[in-house]
Amino acid sequence: MIKIYFLILCFVSIVNAQDFKKDTIELKETILYDKSTFRLKRLGSDTRTKTVQIGINSDINMKNDSEPKYIKEISIPLNAPKKEFTIQRVNFNFSNPLKVDSIIIRLDLMTEHKGNPNESLLKEPIDIVIRKKDQHENIFTYDLRDLNIKYADDFQIKLMLLTKVDKPIYFSGALLAKCLYKTEQSTNWEKSPLGITPAINADILIKR
C-alpha cells in the first residue's frame, strides 16, 4: 500500500499569517465566457509562498517522543455560493518545482456533510499526472470543463498521492483556513494544526 504523508514546515510570523475565512477571490483568467451573464471566481487559498509549506510524504505528528502519524488522504473544504455554478478547473500551487519528472495524484470532488467529505461529485476519481514541465511558475492547473460539473453548495477537494517518492512534495501553505486528513491508523477525519492548508483551489463559473 502506498503511504501518503503530510509534512508541515512552518516558519510563521504574524505578518505572514493570512485569514482565509473569505476564500472566494475574484479571478481574471483566460477562460472564455459571457461576462454579462457569468462571473469567474476562485475558491480556496491562492497563496504563493515558501514561508509556510505543506508537503506530502512525511509525518504530521510534531511530538518526537510518540509514534508517527502518517497521512493517507487530505481533504480541503471550500466555501462556495449557494446557487448553481460549474467547476472549471483545479489549481495546485507548489512552493518549488518538482524534484521528480512526474507524480500522480488522485483527485476527487466531494459534497460536504457536517464538515467532512461525503459523496463524490464525479463519476469516478481522476488520476492526474503532474509533470515537472507542466508547472508554470510552480503552478499546475487541471481543466475540468469537459466534465460539466454543476453544484450549488460548499464542497471539498480530496487528494491522494499515488506515486511513491523519496522526498516530500511541497505546496505553498495558508494559515487560519481548514484542512482535513486521515492517518493510516484511523478512518476518522482530523483537522490540521494551526488551520494550515495547501494552496490548492478551484475556479468556478457562476451566473450573475
Side-chain angles (χ1 to χ4, degrees):
M1 179 184 297
I2 296 175
K3 294 182 179 179
I4 297 180
Y5 315 108
F6 192 71
L7 172 64
I8 300 178
L9 289 182
C10 299
F11 304 95
V12 182
S13 68
I14 297 299
V15 174
N16 289 321
Q18 300 180 54
D19 187 350
F20 288 98
K21 292 179 181 178
K22 297 180 179 178
D23 58 357
T24 300
I25 302 169
E26 291 293 343
L27 182 66
K28 297 179 180 179
E29 288 292 349
T30 55
I31 293 177
L32 300 178
Y33 60 97
D34 182 354
K35 293 183 180 180
S36 65
T37 306
F38 296 94
R39 53 192 172 124
L40 195 61
K41 285 186 175 291
R42 178 160 291 172
L43 307 180
S45 168
D46 194 30
T47 185
R48 303 175 190 185
T49 179
K50 297 180 181 180
T51 303
V52 181
Q53 300 182 61
I54 296 176
I56 301 174
N57 194 31
S58 193
D59 171 23
I60 197 173
N61 195 341
M62 297 182 179
K63 298 179 180 179
N64 294 328
D65 59 347
S66 59
E67 293 294 322
K69 294 173 66 176
Y70 296 129
I71 300 301
K72 64 180 181 180
E73 288 181 277
I74 60 174
S75 192
I76 305 163
L78 299 180
N79 295 332
K82 302 305 183 286
K83 64 179 183 178
E84 188 177 79
F85 54 83
T86 306
I87 301 173
Q88 301 287 287
R89 57 194 183 185
V90 174
N91 307 292
F92 301 80
N93 292 11
F94 294 88
S95 58
N96 295 287
L98 290 174
K99 298 186 183 300
V100 294
D101 289 336
S102 65
I103 59 173
I104 301 175
I105 288 181
R106 177 161 292 168
L107 168 71
D108 208 346
L109 301 176
M110 311 293 294
T111 64
E112 188 172 88
H113 179 66
K114 295 183 178 179
N116 290 333
N118 188 28
E119 297 179 348
S120 179
L121 295 171
L122 305 176
K123 291 183 178 178
E124 59 183 7
I126 303 170
D127 292 348
I128 302 173
V129 179
I130 301 178
R131 298 180 176 86
K132 183 190 300 185
K133 66 179 182 179
D134 295 329
Q135 288 178 285
H136 301 287
E137 298 181 348
N138 297 334
I139 297 174
F140 174 82
T141 295
Y142 188 78
D143 199 322
L144 295 166
R145 285 175 287 178
D146 289 346
L147 298 181
N148 195 31
I149 306 165
K150 296 184 182 297
Y151 197 51
D153 207 342
D154 297 342
F155 66 98
Q156 299 193 11
I157 299 174
K158 190 171 74 168
L159 301 172
M160 176 182 290
L161 180 68
L162 300 184
T163 304
K164 186 175 181 179
V165 293
D166 295 329
K167 296 182 179 180
I169 305 295
Y170 294 115
F171 296 98
S172 293
L175 297 176
L176 306 179
K178 185 179 178 182
C179 180
L180 305 173
Y181 67 90
K182 280 185 179 179
T183 67
E184 292 285 349
Q185 297 80 18
S186 173
T187 59
N188 297 324
W189 290 102
E190 299 181 51
K191 294 180 181 179
S192 62
L194 303 177
I196 302 173
T197 189
I200 298 171
N201 54 67
D203 297 338
I204 65 168
L205 196 63
I206 185 169
K207 285 187 177 182
R208 292 186 180 277

